[in-house]
Amino acid sequence: MDISDELEMSRRGILVGSAALATLTTVPQAVASPAMPQPAPTMMKVALQVNGKQRELELDTRTTLLDALREHLQLTGTKKGCDHGQCGACTVLVDGVRINSCLTLAVMHVGDKVTTIEGLGTPGDLHPMQAAFIKHDGYQCGYCTPGQICSAVAVLDEIRSGIPSHASASLTERPKVSNAEMRERMSGNICRCGAYSNILEAMADVAEARA
Ligand code: FES
Ligand code: FES
């Protein structure tokens, strides 16, 4: 047997050994976690006010507001990015306040007024923030855009109402619409395309028009 035969044999030995080890480590896991019977879902009638319309749904109580909007009401303008409260793509307005709809259950919003991007404006009658995003090219792929727009609308309302942020110089004085304020307040809305500077321009435009 020459040296190349010996090397080939030891290589095969390692491969066979690894395969055997993989079998030993995976089989017990499958045995350890047999399929558990799932409890039947608890269903509940939920009345939501979405974009000015009363909507009645029969939902599994574990349904998030995001899934209720997208899967049950076919309002797919609201996007699912991370589904973990980290990207802001699912931002909607509830009674005028922005929330991550992936982090809240639909049953918690009975009677609340929910506004999604579809309810903010229409193609023939855009909300000023929607028009400003188009004017300033505040998007590229557009996936984060519905959440960005809902958030931007709420941010200007927050600043106008005098709610301070981490970037505010004072907790008691009304904050100004500045880049620092807008950047801080929009920091929960991630844009993979990096349209941030154009989004800020759009927001500044709307704020100036309102002043
Ligand atoms: Fe809700 Fe990302 S999908 S925060
Ligand atoms: Fe593409 Fe924001 S426009 S992720």
Side-chain angles (χ1 to χ4, degrees):
M1 185 183 290
D2 66 15
I3 185 77
S4 62
D5 288 340
E6 272 181 33
L7 281 173
E8 180 58 19
M9 281 192 67
S10 54
R11 192 181 72 86
R12 279 209 201 110
I14 288 169
L15 289 175
V16 169
S18 309
L21 189 62
T23 312
L24 282 174
T25 53
T26 53
V27 169
Q29 271 180 4
V31 172
S33 36
M36 298 288 289
Q38 294 295 311
T42 305
M43 304 301 285
M44 188 173 156
K45 282 195 187 342
V46 181
L48 298 171
Q49 263 197 67
V50 183
N51 298 335
K53 287 192 193 138
Q54 189 73 12
R55 310 297 298 261
E56 314 278 340
L57 296 170
E58 173 104 13
L59 295 176
D60 181 332
T61 48
R62 299 166 295 184
T63 308
T64 62
L65 179 58
L66 174 60
D67 285 343
L69 293 170
R70 287 182 56 84
E71 311 299 333
H72 296 264
L73 296 175
Q74 281 69 54
L75 291 168
T76 52
T78 306
K79 298 294 184 261
K80 184 181 278 191
C82 62
D83 210 18
H84 283 79
Q86 293 172 348
C87 72
C90 64
T91 307
V92 297
L93 303 175
V94 173
D95 292 333
V97 175
R98 60 188 170 142
I99 62 165
N100 288 335
S101 59
C102 70
L103 285 188
T104 187
L105 299 175
V107 293
M108 295 163 67
H109 296 286
V110 174
D112 288 352
K113 289 185 182 140
V114 180
T115 306
T116 68
I117 192 71
E118 293 93 341
L120 219 48
T122 59
D125 182 21
L126 293 176
H127 184 281
M129 192 63 80
Q130 291 171 316
F133 265 62
I134 292 171
K135 179 178 162 196
H136 291 277
D137 244 354
Y139 52 87
Q140 285 183 41
C141 75
Y143 197 81
C144 72
T145 311
Q148 299 277 6
I149 291 177
C150 286
S151 220
V153 168
V155 160
L156 294 191
D157 286 345
E158 283 166 22
I159 296 176
R160 208 164 38 168
S161 322
I163 299 170
S165 78
H166 183 66
S168 304
S170 159
L171 290 180
T172 49
E173 284 170 32
R174 183 180 294 270
K176 293 195 171 39
V177 182
S178 63
N179 270 1
E181 280 289 352
M182 291 191 288
R183 277 181 193 279
E184 164 63 19
R185 291 170 196 258
M186 292 295 288
S187 60
N189 288 83
I190 309 299
C191 176
R192 292 290 298 270
C193 300
Y196 298 114
S197 58
N198 293 12
I199 291 171
L200 278 188
E201 282 176 21
M203 291 176 70
D205 210 359
V206 175
E208 206 176 296
R210 277 190 190 174

